[in-house]
């Protein structure tokens, strides 16, 4: 901070931070979609990105999920490294104050996305919006991993035409989360043989080639 900086300097600094924070909040759903669609299920990085393997393992154990704060702690070094690189590059383009706000927003967004995703596996939905998002996400797991990549928002699935908004989702018995008893928000369990007869698919656990 320059010596003798007055109110105008402080207002400008705060405005820069707020602008950066807003940019991070707006861009987070796109980054979330891009990672899930193009890295975790795509071919970006030639399949050698570590988070891709972790995510495909998650698909094979969708009935359970790592506690979100444990996942955040496990990934904190990588997240902070990526955030630091983004801030450094951003500082060269838009200045340090805007870049600082951007970095804070992206770090918070990562935590929010991780927690939101875990909730869809840990508990039943508690509102109409959650019921819609739970069906949206479980369709990705149980029916077609090529669609519904948004974890907190479906907006970029609609933009990139990968959105499917089902009224109901049939989950194979091996994938059943602990909170699902009977039918909840249009989500229900079907036995393996019934699912195979209805869809013509092989009644087995998914292989990596099935998941992206």
């Amino acid at each position: 901070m320059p010596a003798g900086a007055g109110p105008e300097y402080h207002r400008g600094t705060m405005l820069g931070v707020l602008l950066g924070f807003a940019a991070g909040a707006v861009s987070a759903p796109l980054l979330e979609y891009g990672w899930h669609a193009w890295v975790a299920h795509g071919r970006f990085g030639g399949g050698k990105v570590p988070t891709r393997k972790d995510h495909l393992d998650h698909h094979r154990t969708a009935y359970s999920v790592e506690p979100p704060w444990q996942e955040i702690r496990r990934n904190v070094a990588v997240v902070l490294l990526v955030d630091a690189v983004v801030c450094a590059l951003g500082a060269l383009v838009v200045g340090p104050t805007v870049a600082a706000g951007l970095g804070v927003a992206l770090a918070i967004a990562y935590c929010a996305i991780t927690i939101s995703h875990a909730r869809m596996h840990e508990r039943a939905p508690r509102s109409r919006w959650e019921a819609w998002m739970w069906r949206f996400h479980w369709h990705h797991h149980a029916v077609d991993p090529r669609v519904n990549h948004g974890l907190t928002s479906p907006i970029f699935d609609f933009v990139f035409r990968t959105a499917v908004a089902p009224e109901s989702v049939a989950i194979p018995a091996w994938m059943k989360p602990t909170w699902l008893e009977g039918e909840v928000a249009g989500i229900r369990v079907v036995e393996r043989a019934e699912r195979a007869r209805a869809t013509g698919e092989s009644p087995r656990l998914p292989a990596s080639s099935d998941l992206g």
Side-chain angles (χ1 to χ4, degrees):
M1 182 177 67
E8 289 298 326
Y9 176 86
H10 292 292
R11 279 196 292 270
T13 299
M14 182 58 66
L15 178 60
V17 171
L18 291 175
L19 286 174
F21 190 91
V26 170
S27 62
L30 175 60
L31 297 175
E32 164 193 314
Y33 177 92
W35 168 81
H36 197 183
W38 303 325
V39 177
H41 287 285
R43 294 293 180 263
F44 181 83
K48 297 180 180 179
V49 180
T51 55
R52 174 177 166 82
K53 180 183 182 302
D54 290 345
H55 188 71
L56 297 186
D57 287 343
H58 163 64
H59 267 262
R60 286 186 282 269
T61 58
Y63 50 82
S64 180
V65 69
E66 183 178 10
W69 288 111
Q70 181 176 310
E71 181 179 352
I72 290 168
R73 286 195 298 270
R74 178 169 57 82
N75 292 326
V76 67
V78 174
V79 171
L80 290 178
L81 176 61
V82 172
D83 212 18
V85 171
V86 170
C87 286
L89 294 176
L92 296 175
V93 178
V94 295
T97 56
V98 176
L102 175 66
V104 171
L106 292 180
I108 293 174
Y110 168 74
C111 295
I113 291 166
T114 302
I115 293 168
S116 296
H117 174 240
R119 283 177 177 170
M120 291 188 280
H121 291 265
E122 291 178 332
R123 65 164 174 80
R126 298 174 181 172
S127 66
R128 291 181 65 182
W129 168 249
E130 285 193 349
W132 193 95
M133 278 302 299
W134 265 234
R135 288 194 301 273
F136 185 83
H137 184 63
W138 279 99
H139 181 90
H140 170 80
H141 273 285
V143 181
D144 189 352
R146 298 169 299 179
V147 301
N148 295 7
H149 299 292
L151 299 173
T152 58
S153 168
I155 184 169
F156 285 102
D157 281 289
F158 286 103
V159 170
F160 292 108
R161 298 184 179 182
T162 55
V164 175
E167 295 184 2
S168 63
V169 179
I171 295 179
W174 69 264
M175 193 184 287
K176 175 183 176 294
T178 56
W179 55 263
L180 183 57
E181 297 296 337
E183 182 172 327
V184 177
I187 304 170
R188 66 185 180 90
V189 171
V190 292
E191 294 302 321
R192 188 176 298 180
E194 177 188 349
R195 182 180 175 86
R197 285 195 301 270
T199 64
E201 67 182 21
S202 175
R204 57 174 172 78
L205 295 181
S208 295
S209 58
D210 300 325
L211 303 175

